[in-house]
Amino acid sequence: MVTHIFRYFFVVILVLSLPQHAFAQDLSELTLEVIDPFIEVRSGPGRGYPVFYVIEQGEKINVIVRRDGWYEIAAENGKNGWVNPSQLSRTLQSTGEPADLPSVSYGDYLANKWRVGFSAGKFVSGDNSDVFAATLSYRFNTWFGLEGEGGRFYNATDRGSYYAANILVEPFSQWQFSPEFLLGSGKRQSSTQPELPKEDDKNLSFIHYGIGLNYYLGRNFVVRTDYRWSAVSEDNDTVTLESWKLGFNTFF
Amino acid sequence: METRFQHVLLTIVVSLFLTNFASAQTPPESNSKVKTEFLEVGVSLGYLAIEGFPTTLSKSVNFTLRATENFFLEVNYLRADDVEESTFAQERDDVPNSLETNQDFTHFDLLLGYNFFQGEFFSGDGEANLSSLYGVWGVGETEFSEERRFTTTLGLGYQVAFNRRYILHFDVRDYIYESSLGDQNDTVHNIDSSVGLSYLF
């Protein structure tokens, strides 16, 4: 009962901490001056859309909104279009976006940001359950973050759910392939599949630790694979389950 | 021992989140943060063809996070209520009890989507609307007839933004899982074809 309250309290805290800027309605437009020789303006937020206009050095543009990693801008003569962030980046310090210079690492994009996503995998020991989980984490700087995780697992005889709180350390976040270390603790609950003879539900605690690899695909997308060891305590005995997962995350 | 560690960890996590929430109230040094449009909320209606059962109306709700111009993440919840018994089962006497009453089919999943072709769609008056063909893959759970199974989802869709905020989706998705409703364990495919509307914040 108390653990249920903790679980919901945890979720509520996470939700309340969502940064306001993601949902803010009216922000004043940002006016910038083009400092590159020219910037290309496309008809949509993607590299597949055609370039229909070019803005020259010295002209002023209003940055209106950001979508799919592209910026919508309005030129002085009223034409609206979409600009690639790397073309705009050297003038964009005041948007909070780090300048797109070679010295800026993937970890810098993640600092002070939330990361959300899901992962799917399998337990390789024990009952070989299929497992998936949703994760929400907050990164305090380029290398340290905290994560809340909730997931479900299934095999032929049992199914169950779990949640965990994890500490994440990513010391080399400037690399495109970067290792991440995880340590956490949680609770899991399992019950038998309904068509089988009913056994008592199990509620167990565990501590898990793992090593993962992050692959940064662009400015806002991370593919993550990890392998972890879960020490589950049951009746004064500890069983270690090993599992791997593949996950996809975005940050905001 | 483990529970004390858990409590300590939970307290650290909660207090760090509360601190972050408090500090977010102070204005940032930079003069503005550009608004980001990245969350979509949508509803869909369609027909779900459950393997071994008659096709039933399906309703779903989804939340999408647009990560990049190519990738997006989606959470999807689908329901098909009152799935009837198939006529084949009605004519036989040896059908297990779980098939004899109308069942609800519910499903949720976490999906990764990829926009294959970005394009523009020209509606009669010369205005260009953004569109793309996309594929989704993901994992989730299906609950039907007292079974709750790990499910893999695979789908193809087409989206058209007919104005800045509203996007129309056409989707065909296959929900694949192992079912033991028949005589043995079978991999069943349940194909849902739907039309949906979503709103981009």
Side-chain angles (χ1 to χ4, degrees):
Chain A
M1 180 61 187
V2 174
T3 49
H4 277 207
I5 293 171
F6 259 114
R7 187 202 301 187
Y8 291 119
F9 178 60
F10 187 72
V11 169
V12 164
I13 287 291
L14 284 176
V15 167
L16 283 179
S17 308
L18 281 173
Q20 294 304 302
H21 76 85
F23 305 105
Q25 278 310 307
D26 64 298
L27 284 163
S28 52
E29 288 178 358
L30 187 61
T31 305
L32 299 171
E33 186 179 316
V34 177
I35 61 172
D36 275 353
F38 64 92
I39 57 169
E40 291 173 337
V41 181
R42 291 179 190 260
S43 59
R47 64 186 183 283
Y49 297 103
V51 176
F52 75 102
Y53 196 62
V54 162
I55 300 180
E56 291 176 354
Q57 188 174 54
E59 284 189 31
K60 295 243 186 333
I61 53 172
N62 276 343
V63 176
I64 303 165
V65 85
R66 183 169 180 259
R67 176 167 151 178
D68 294 349
W70 289 71
Y71 287 91
E72 189 183 22
I73 57 107
E76 279 172 334
N77 60 4
K79 282 207 193 311
N80 275 28
W82 296 86
V83 176
N84 189 304
S86 58
Q87 289 219 293
L88 220 50
S89 62
R90 285 165 282 281
T91 60
L92 262 185
Q93 301 290 6
S94 46
T95 58
E97 174 110 12
D100 193 16
L101 302 169
S103 57
V104 172
S105 72
Y106 299 100
D108 290 328
Y109 289 122
L110 270 183
N112 301 117
K113 286 221 176 103
W114 293 86
R115 190 178 75 181
V116 66
F118 76 91
S119 57
K122 236 176 148 65
F123 281 92
V124 297
S125 60
D127 41 28
N128 291 108
S129 308
D130 293 314
V131 60
F132 66 80
T135 59
L136 178 65
S137 63
Y138 186 78
R139 185 70 67 101
F140 296 93
N141 51 37
T142 61
W143 58 272
F144 175 74
L146 292 176
E147 178 178 78
E149 179 183 358
R152 295 201 174 182
F153 53 90
Y154 309 80
N155 60 52
T157 53
D158 298 306
R159 56 173 194 218
S161 60
Y162 76 93
Y163 64 94
N166 305 322
I167 292 171
L168 302 171
V169 172
E170 191 180 359
F172 309 111
S173 59
Q174 67 271 23
W175 296 346
Q176 190 172 18
F177 282 92
S178 141
E180 193 174 52
F181 304 96
L182 172 149
L183 172 66
S185 149
K187 273 195 140 53
R188 59 188 266 151
Q189 183 181 44
S190 59
S191 52
T192 44
Q193 291 280 11
E195 64 267 19
L196 296 176
K198 182 135 176 60
E199 284 176 21
D200 285 336
D201 287 0
K202 289 191 209 169
N203 285 307
L204 306 169
S205 308
F206 63 87
I207 293 179
H208 61 199
Y209 50 95
I211 178 165
L213 189 65
N214 284 334
Y215 176 39
Y216 291 93
L217 271 176
R219 286 161 163 247
N220 203 27
F221 190 64
V222 171
V223 177
R224 180 158 177 258
T225 179
D226 73 61
Y227 194 87
R228 57 178 89 162
W229 292 262
S230 307
V232 184
S233 47
E234 180 177 1
D235 298 333
N236 290 331
D237 212 6
T238 306
V239 172
T240 302
L241 302 175
E242 298 179 27
S243 60
W244 62 265
K245 286 219 202 65
L246 178 66
F248 307 96
N249 298 278
T250 182
F251 22 100
F252 59 92
Chain B
M1 178 63 182
E2 274 82 17
T3 41
R4 193 188 304 167
F5 178 63
Q6 270 177 349
H7 284 160
V8 168
L9 198 62
L10 191 60
T11 314
I12 293 171
V13 166
V14 166
S15 45
L16 276 167
F17 278 128
L18 283 173
T19 318
N20 168 60
F21 187 50
S23 66
Q25 309 289 3
T26 58
E29 317 74 65
S30 54
N31 66 350
S32 65
K33 257 195 135 88
V34 177
K35 177 175 178 292
T36 307
E37 294 175 348
F38 81 116
L39 174 67
E40 256 181 74
V41 176
V43 292
S44 313
L45 264 185
Y47 277 100
L48 176 65
I50 307 173
E51 193 174 309
F53 292 83
T55 300
T56 313
L57 184 74
S58 70
K59 299 163 265 195
S60 49
V61 156
N62 49 65
F63 293 88
T64 305
L65 289 177
R66 305 166 74 107
T68 66
E69 64 189 79
N70 292 126
F71 288 104
F72 59 91
L73 300 176
E74 183 175 315
V75 175
N76 181 44
Y77 174 76
L78 173 141
R79 238 195 126 81
D81 291 326
D82 282 331
V83 179
E84 294 171 1
E85 210 181 9
S86 61
T87 45
F88 175 76
Q90 282 167 12
E91 289 161 10
R92 290 169 65 109
D93 292 332
D94 55 354
V95 168
N97 282 339
S98 60
L99 289 174
E100 284 176 4
T101 57
N102 286 358
Q103 297 286 333
D104 294 339
F105 182 103
T106 59
H107 168 89
F108 75 86
D109 53 41
L110 303 160
L111 302 172
L112 172 70
Y114 187 82
N115 291 316
F116 294 115
F117 306 126
Q118 296 163 344
E120 288 177 307
F121 158 85
F122 299 97
S123 52
D125 55 358
E127 285 267 327
N129 302 93
L130 305 179
S131 69
S132 73
L133 181 75
Y134 60 89
V136 293
W137 167 85
V139 292
E141 178 186 282
T142 302
E143 187 169 352
F144 179 57
S145 192
E146 291 184 17
E147 285 191 318
R148 274 172 56 182
R149 298 295 167 143
F150 178 81
T151 308
T152 306
T153 301
L154 215 51
L156 198 63
Y158 184 69
Q159 58 180 331
V160 185
F162 58 82
N163 69 21
R164 190 48 189 262
R165 297 283 162 199
Y166 291 95
I167 303 170
L168 193 63
H169 293 262
F170 302 95
D171 281 288
V172 174
R173 293 197 181 162
D174 189 3
Y175 303 113
I176 308 163
Y177 64 91
E178 297 260 329
S179 170
S180 57
L181 283 182
D183 291 333
Q184 63 257 7
N185 271 346
D186 269 335
T187 304
V188 294
H189 291 257
N190 308 291
I191 301 185
D192 180 58
S193 320
S194 65
V195 176
L197 185 66
S198 65
Y199 182 81
L200 176 64
F201 287 95

